[in-house]
Amino acid sequence: MLSEAFEALTDAPNDDDLFPFLQGHAASLGYVDVHFAVFDRLDDPTNAQRVIQTTLPRAYRVAYHAARFNRDDPTLRRAAVQQTPFGWYDCPELDQARALRRGRKPVARRMLDLAAAYGFVDGMVVPTHIVGADNIRQVGMVSLYRRVPGCPDLPCWFRFLCQMLHEQAVPCPAAAGSTRADPVLNDRVRHCLHWAARGKSRSEIAVILGVSHATVDSYVRDALDGLDAVNTTQAVARAIRGGLIFP
């Protein structure tokens, strides 16, 4: 599954092919709808969301924005500052709101009620972060929706799918006149990224490569610097796209 996913990603020529590919894998994990958006302003992600691609019903999206839920949606704020996937109920506001049955309903409860009206009872969010030339930064999020409670853990390769979708569909704009040389990574750094792509932790990579944890940390820093990446997920995504590693 992992090798097949990366092979298909490497061959995908544009975002029109990549989004359905990601959607298919999401469906295989039990998620019925996928929504991909980016934030043009990091200081206020709730009011600067730009939808790129989605399978959500239009009526649901219209109702969501008509109620101005985007101003208080805790998943938007969390995606702007967190780099790892999280579930709806990892957000305290939503976790507390789902237990409310009587009295005045807070915004979070009304958000859940709207989602439930369209059959959505749970979901996951995969933040995607891009850092380009001159530290220009952009945050995106892939939201996954379920019709049954509980969210299965996302395999590591699915995070790379989401990151690649962002990389390919909305490249981070470089500053005017700036240039970026093709990245050059030594063999050790590429080996480190290879194992990171397969879901290995830094401690596990240290054992595999026969080096210290501090040395692996150094390899990761070199990868981030060489690929202008904000985190290991983005570094792996860029390395695969650039043909630097072949998971």
Side-chain angles (χ1 to χ4, degrees):
M1 173 70 77
L2 180 63
S3 297
E4 178 185 352
F6 283 124
E7 181 179 354
L9 274 171
T10 302
D11 294 338
N14 54 59
D15 57 294
D16 290 335
D17 295 326
L18 189 53
F19 184 77
F21 182 74
L22 184 145
Q23 182 188 352
H25 280 289
S28 72
L29 296 169
Y31 297 96
V32 295
D33 278 291
V34 181
H35 180 82
F36 170 46
V38 298
F39 308 143
D40 290 325
R41 288 174 50 199
L42 290 181
D43 60 332
D44 190 4
T46 60
N47 289 314
Q49 183 182 173
R50 183 157 50 100
V51 176
I52 305 302
Q53 287 178 304
T54 185
T55 65
L56 286 174
R58 184 177 184 276
Y60 170 73
R61 291 184 285 121
V62 170
Y64 174 93
H65 286 285
R68 298 186 176 183
F69 287 152
N70 58 306
R71 295 186 176 184
D72 297 287
D73 191 335
T75 66
L76 299 184
R77 293 191 177 88
R78 187 162 185 152
V81 298
Q82 183 165 323
Q83 298 181 3
T84 55
F86 58 90
W88 285 3
Y89 304 115
D90 290 326
C91 299
E93 300 93 333
L94 295 176
D95 186 43
Q96 295 167 12
R98 65 174 166 172
L100 298 177
R101 293 293 183 268
R102 297 179 180 178
R104 184 177 180 181
K105 294 181 179 180
V107 172
R109 178 68 243 185
R110 287 185 280 125
M111 287 175 54
L112 293 177
D113 287 346
L114 176 64
Y118 286 85
F120 305 128
V121 299
D122 211 338
M124 287 283 288
V125 175
V126 184
T128 58
H129 295 242
I130 285 179
V131 172
D134 296 334
N135 290 321
I136 296 174
R137 187 174 179 184
Q138 186 182 75
V139 171
M141 61 187 291
V142 175
S143 300
L144 309 170
Y145 294 77
R146 280 176 64 82
R147 298 193 185 279
V148 294
C151 293
D153 290 336
L154 297 175
C156 65
W157 53 263
F158 192 87
R159 293 175 57 189
F160 303 137
L161 286 176
C162 296
Q163 185 69 43
M164 289 178 178
L165 177 66
H166 193 167
E167 292 273 348
Q168 189 171 2
V170 191
C172 189
S178 66
T179 60
R180 179 171 176 260
D182 292 337
V184 177
L185 305 179
N186 65 41
D187 289 344
R188 281 295 195 176
V189 172
R190 287 190 290 108
H191 289 163
C192 179
L193 289 179
H194 167 86
W195 289 110
R198 291 183 172 269
K200 301 298 183 182
S201 68
R202 294 192 186 188
S203 297
E204 291 171 325
I205 294 172
V207 173
I208 293 170
L209 298 183
V211 298
S212 68
H213 193 290
T215 299
V216 172
D217 288 342
S218 176
Y219 293 157
V220 172
R221 287 194 298 270
D222 289 344
L224 299 185
D225 290 342
L227 294 165
D228 286 336
V230 67
N231 55 32
T232 306
T233 300
Q234 186 187 18
V236 168
R238 287 189 166 179
I240 294 171
R241 273 291 180 204
L244 298 173
I245 61 173
F246 301 91

